[in-house]
Amino acid sequence: LGRRPVLMVGLACNSVAGILSAMAPNVYILSVLRCVAGVGIGATVPPLFTLVTELAPPSHRGFCVTLVASFWMVGSIFVALTAMLLLEHMEVSWRVFAVACALPSLVGFVLCKNLVPESPRFLAIQQKHEAALDVANFLAQKMNSDAILANNTAVAPLTLEELQQAFPSRPTNPSHALHPPSSSPHWWGMVTMAMNDFLVSARQLYTPQLKNTTWPLQMVWFSLSFGSYGLLTWINTLFVEVHLKNVYFNALLFAFSNLPGNILTAVYMDKVSRGKMLTLVILASAASLMGFAWGAFSMNSYGIVASACAFQCFTVAAWNTIDTMTSELFPTTVRSTGMGVCAASGRVGAMVAQFVNGALVAEPVRLLLVASVTLLLGALTPALLPGGGDMTGQPVHDFAVDNVPTTNNDNRISHQPLIQRGNQSQGGGMSHGSVPYQIV
């Protein structure tokens, strides 16, 4: 279906279910609608990070992913401020609050529909060369407009022949052979084909070429979700247990503590090895939880607040890093599926954490230490990734030929500051699977 359509479906699902939940006549329908809204959120994560990874240049890919991920912080601050305004000060119905929380997804849907193109990599791999050509040249023109004006020179556009040479016809997806698109024009046929595509792609994640990437990433997502998202749902309860009872202020403070973590990753993501960055910030997160546990044990309010904010700061840096690593380590053919499988592993970790945290919530020190130990286990996992999982400044793979990060440009699209042609040693030229020009 493509990255952009799935992203828009997820946004629409979340916004519509959110608005309808404000009209729910009872708690059962409310629960179903909130579940549907959650499905919408889950549907947005893989295509969102896949799309930004495939549109961003290698030299700024970490910054671009961090910028997109930072809007989780913006959303958290929006929700906290909206709750303080509507529920605490204006004392309106929770139904008004539910509608207000659904509006950002609706705005995102409109913006994506009007401003965000489909990934040219995806289009080219799907043999939609004309569409890929239009998007690639559009992006190249937009991204190089300042350089064009400064040099007063036009950039030669990519040609259809060059794109077809870079992305020659490949064997048909087995699921398409069983369910060709033309024979299944109805929505059920599209769903069936999408499910078959998913199963084929999911199996590829555990082939010899990719399994050494898939398993470690799933382990990191599980441990990070267990230690962070699993704790976030209980954080206000923990604050109450240690006598910090203003839940609105606590939520706002916790949301603002994301800002240093986003700045940290925005500045250093494209300068430091991804694996080293991930290990360091996870270790710092675990240390912050230990500080939180000490504050809870000694009933030190200032220590609790400081360590909780430090924990949020470092965990958001860890999430920015793992989002970047996951989206760039999988090849284009299975990138969105890989993101989805890893995100699902994270959901499992978060769900398991609910049971563990629920059993330990009356003992905050033990709860925090369990989460800290889980994070420490996750900090060891990046060492299992091929090449340490570092693709800083390198073009992403398009096909599962060699999943070990290298500087070889085979089977990849290269992205550089200007459209270039010529000798490869000068940054231009052509190779199989690489477009003959570079897009910022």
Side-chain angles (χ1 to χ4, degrees):
L1 298 179
R3 285 76 161 104
R4 182 172 173 269
V6 174
L7 175 59
M8 291 175 61
V9 167
L11 290 170
C13 181
N14 180 255
S15 59
V16 171
I19 293 172
L20 291 178
S21 67
M23 309 173 192
N26 55 59
V27 68
Y28 303 107
I29 294 179
L30 175 63
S31 298
V32 171
L33 289 170
R34 295 316 302 170
C35 180
V36 173
V39 171
I41 293 174
T44 63
V45 173
L48 175 63
F49 289 107
T50 298
L51 198 54
V52 68
T53 296
E54 294 175 357
L55 293 176
S59 59
H60 297 87
R61 188 166 57 234
F63 174 80
C64 292
V65 173
T66 297
L67 181 63
V68 170
S70 69
F71 276 80
W72 288 98
M73 173 195 69
V74 176
S76 298
I77 293 172
F78 171 81
V79 169
L81 289 174
T82 302
M84 291 181 68
L85 175 64
L86 297 180
L87 302 180
E88 185 178 29
H89 295 292
M90 298 178 64
E91 298 183 349
V92 301
S93 169
W94 64 268
R95 297 178 187 275
V96 178
F97 176 69
V99 172
C101 290
L103 293 179
S105 290
L106 184 60
V107 172
F109 175 87
V110 174
L111 291 176
C112 286
K113 184 177 187 301
N114 291 284
L115 299 177
V116 179
E118 179 59 275
S119 164
R121 290 174 179 271
F122 172 80
L123 293 172
I125 286 177
Q126 294 296 313
Q127 305 299 302
K128 299 177 181 178
H129 293 121
E130 290 82 0
L133 184 69
D134 291 340
V135 174
N137 284 328
F138 170 78
L139 292 174
Q141 183 181 14
K142 290 292 184 182
M143 295 179 182
N144 291 285
S145 58
D146 292 340
I148 293 172
L149 292 174
N151 298 327
N152 197 27
T153 56
V155 178
L158 180 69
T159 66
L160 183 61
E161 292 74 17
E162 290 169 331
L163 187 62
Q164 289 174 333
Q165 182 177 352
F167 289 90
S169 298
R170 299 178 66 85
T172 303
N173 188 318
S175 67
H176 288 182
L178 295 174
H179 303 276
S182 60
S183 65
S184 304
H186 301 298
W187 68 270
W188 179 248
M190 294 179 63
V191 171
T192 302
M193 186 179 69
M195 289 301 299
N196 284 322
D197 281 346
F198 169 77
L199 293 175
V200 171
S201 297
R203 283 197 293 268
Q204 292 179 24
L205 297 177
Y206 301 98
T207 58
Q209 295 95 333
L210 291 175
K211 66 179 182 180
N212 292 331
T213 295
T214 304
W215 284 115
L217 287 175
Q218 285 185 271
M219 293 168 63
V220 175
W221 278 77
F222 180 92
S223 62
L224 194 54
S225 291
F226 184 100
S228 58
Y229 280 152
L231 184 61
L232 287 178
T233 56
W234 290 91
I235 195 68
N236 282 322
T237 304
L238 286 174
F239 280 149
V240 171
E241 286 288 329
V242 295
H243 309 298
L244 298 174
K245 297 184 178 180
N246 190 329
V247 294
Y248 301 111
F249 176 78
N250 294 339
L252 183 61
L253 182 65
F254 214 53
F256 269 112
S257 62
N258 286 326
L259 182 59
N262 283 316
I263 294 175
L264 174 69
T265 46
V267 172
Y268 291 105
M269 184 74 79
D270 293 310
K271 299 177 182 178
V272 180
S273 165
R274 314 276 205 238
K276 291 180 181 177
M277 170 78 82
L278 183 62
T279 299
L280 288 174
V281 294
I282 291 180
L283 289 175
S285 300
S288 301
L289 279 187
M290 292 179 182
F292 197 155
W294 171 82
F297 178 77
S298 61
M299 300 303 293
N300 185 322
S301 298
Y302 293 106
I304 291 170
V305 172
S307 57
C309 290
F311 166 73
Q312 183 69 349
C313 165
F314 291 120
T315 52
V316 77
W319 278 117
N320 291 346
T321 308
I322 194 62
D323 286 338
T324 303
M325 290 178 67
T326 305
S327 60
E328 66 188 5
L329 286 174
F330 288 114
T332 302
T333 51
V334 294
R335 182 167 295 120
S336 189
T337 303
M339 281 291 299
V341 168
C342 288
S345 301
R347 293 295 95 188
V348 172
M351 288 188 289
V352 171
Q354 302 311 310
F355 295 101
V356 175
N357 293 346
L360 298 176
V361 70
E363 303 175 82
V365 175
R366 291 182 62 186
L367 188 158
L368 293 166
L369 289 177
V370 168
S372 179
V373 170
T374 306
L375 286 173
L376 287 174
L377 294 175
L380 303 175
T381 310
L384 303 176
L385 289 166
D390 185 31
M391 290 191 66
T392 306
Q394 299 180 33
V396 294
H397 297 265
D398 286 315
F399 307 107
V401 175
D402 179 11
N403 67 311
V404 179
T406 68
T407 57
N408 191 327
N409 285 334
D410 289 346
N411 296 316
R412 303 177 184 176
I413 300 179
S414 295
H415 293 246
Q416 298 296 340
L418 293 175
I419 296 179
Q420 299 174 342
R421 287 180 171 81
N423 190 290
Q424 284 190 358
S425 63
Q426 298 174 338
M430 291 177 55
S431 63
H432 174 67
S434 300
V435 295
Y437 79 126
Q438 283 81 16
I439 308 174
V440 141

